Amino acid sequence: MTAEVAALVTFLAVVLIIAGPYYLFILRTETADKEMIRQRIRTGAVTVRTRTAAGVLKDVERMSVVGPLNRFLAGNNAMAVRLRDAIQLSGIKATPGQVVMASACTALLAYTVVFFKTGYPAAGVIAACGGLFIPYGAVSFMRSRRLNKFEEQFPEAVDLVARTLRAGHAFTTGLGMAAEELPQPVAAEFQLLYDQQNYGLPLGDALKELARRVPLIDTRFFVTAVLTQREAGGNLAEVLDNLSGVIRERFKIKRQLRVLTAHGRITGWILAGMPPVVALYMFIQRPEYTRLLIEDPLGREMLWVAAALQVVGAFLIYKISDVDY
């Protein structure tokens, strides 16, 4: 790569790093508000609504202001569905397009910093590949934290629904009370479940949508118990009482298992993360030490083999420390 091309790439990266967040978080919101006002003035409509597959009327939300990206993120492909579900479960106020743009900005920032420090475009590309997954990693972390909190609160929600049934109310009334009285995030999921059946979606389909939306085995137990009782009959309050006890026992075993495997998990994280961190430090602080390894063909082959072995080792450590419960 010549110096002119490197300078051009660096200039474009800096421009995108500065202009991208400004457009993403400031200008985009102002433009969307202005466009909504113009649409209302032209058509006289309050808002544009559509009926989703879940059966609830909701506002049409653009995934991105970029047309092709919006069509891709709004489609039914596995990547778009996984990203939308992760953002919804994380509870953050962001669109999939914003997450994709944030990934591009972090990748450009990582490339620029590493390239300026080392002078090697290959090192910048490797850093950009790592920076590309930082926003999605943050979304996944918030999703996992919210799911863990939901799992802690879920037995209390099941108990509340059971008490409502014993008091003589309908099952849907118990769902509404759980949505009103319980804290977040379990209240939000029960509120969506209550709204779905309240707006005309069959209760069985709404429960199945809850099991799909919240990928926990406890929610599947809950949905299966309710659907089975609706088909075969029986005392649903007693079934839910037993279910809440089972969920609490599972959660207790899970906590004990996490304590027993804590040493192995932290050791695995350290062993998996130490080589990349040390390599990145050497690339940035002591580039002359790694010049021969990068410039020599044999050194590059060794780097590729080391990277492949590192990925395989991290995967094996994860599988060993990830115990099913």
Side-chain angles (χ1 to χ4, degrees):
M1 179 181 291
T2 62
E4 292 79 5
V5 175
L8 178 61
V9 171
T10 303
F11 172 75
L12 293 176
V14 173
V15 171
L16 288 175
I17 290 171
I18 296 175
Y22 173 77
Y23 173 77
L24 189 64
F25 298 105
I26 299 177
L27 187 60
R28 176 185 178 278
T29 305
E30 297 177 354
T31 305
D33 293 340
K34 292 179 181 178
E35 183 62 28
M36 183 180 296
I37 293 175
R38 294 193 190 99
Q39 182 70 19
R40 291 179 179 178
I41 292 174
R42 286 197 300 266
T43 63
V46 176
T47 183
V48 180
R49 292 178 177 267
T50 184
R51 181 175 291 274
T52 64
V56 178
L57 291 174
K58 62 180 296 185
D59 295 343
V60 176
E61 181 183 6
R62 290 180 61 87
M63 301 292 105
S64 174
V65 294
V66 182
L69 183 60
N70 177 68
R71 288 191 294 271
F72 174 78
L73 295 175
N76 293 324
N77 58 86
M79 185 180 299
V81 172
R82 189 180 299 111
L83 180 60
R84 293 199 302 265
D85 289 344
I87 294 174
Q88 180 182 6
L89 285 174
S90 66
I92 62 174
K93 303 299 182 181
T95 63
Q98 290 176 329
V99 175
V100 172
M101 290 295 295
S103 298
C105 291
T106 53
L108 288 172
L109 178 61
Y111 173 85
T112 304
V113 171
V114 175
F115 177 73
F116 269 119
K117 284 288 186 178
T118 63
Y120 294 117
V125 171
I126 295 174
C129 292
L132 190 66
F133 294 97
I134 291 178
Y136 183 76
V139 172
S140 299
F141 173 76
M142 298 179 68
R143 170 185 177 273
S144 299
R145 187 174 64 178
R146 191 170 183 266
L147 280 177
N148 291 335
K149 194 172 182 181
F150 178 91
E151 193 174 17
E152 292 181 6
Q153 299 170 352
F154 190 62
E156 183 179 354
V158 176
D159 283 339
L160 179 58
V161 175
R163 290 195 299 269
T164 304
L165 292 174
R166 282 196 297 271
H169 297 285
F171 176 72
T172 54
T173 303
L175 298 179
M177 293 181 64
E180 293 176 357
E181 298 183 8
L182 295 176
Q184 299 293 340
V186 71
E189 298 299 334
F190 272 83
Q191 183 66 56
L192 182 55
L193 174 62
Y194 178 78
D195 289 341
Q196 285 176 339
Q197 62 84 29
N198 198 34
Y199 280 103
L201 187 67
L203 180 59
D205 294 340
L207 289 169
K208 293 176 183 178
E209 177 64 20
L210 172 67
R212 187 205 66 82
R213 187 172 62 250
V214 184
L216 294 174
I217 192 171
D218 296 337
T219 56
R220 296 191 182 100
F221 285 161
F222 173 74
V223 171
T224 302
V226 175
L227 293 180
T228 302
Q229 188 275 339
R230 288 173 61 85
E231 294 180 0
N235 190 344
L236 183 57
E238 184 178 353
V239 172
L240 294 181
D241 283 335
N242 296 331
L243 178 61
S244 65
V246 172
I247 294 175
R248 285 189 170 91
E249 289 299 322
R250 285 192 66 256
F251 195 75
K252 185 187 300 183
I253 295 174
K254 176 186 175 182
R255 287 293 181 87
Q256 293 175 352
L257 186 60
R258 287 186 61 84
V259 171
L260 294 175
T261 60
H263 180 269
R265 286 185 288 108
I266 192 64
T267 303
W269 280 108
I270 293 175
L271 291 177
M274 185 179 298
V277 171
V278 173
L280 183 61
Y281 174 81
M282 296 298 293
F283 275 128
I284 295 176
Q285 297 296 330
R286 295 292 185 268
E288 64 275 7
Y289 292 168
T290 57
R291 183 176 295 114
L292 180 61
L293 191 63
I294 296 175
E295 294 176 352
D296 189 88
L298 180 60
R300 288 194 292 268
E301 294 178 2
M302 294 172 62
L303 285 177
W304 283 113
V305 172
L309 293 176
Q310 179 70 19
V311 172
V312 173
F315 176 75
L316 292 177
I317 292 174
Y318 170 76
K319 295 301 292 183
I320 292 173
S321 60
D322 184 29
V323 181
D324 293 332
Y325 59 93

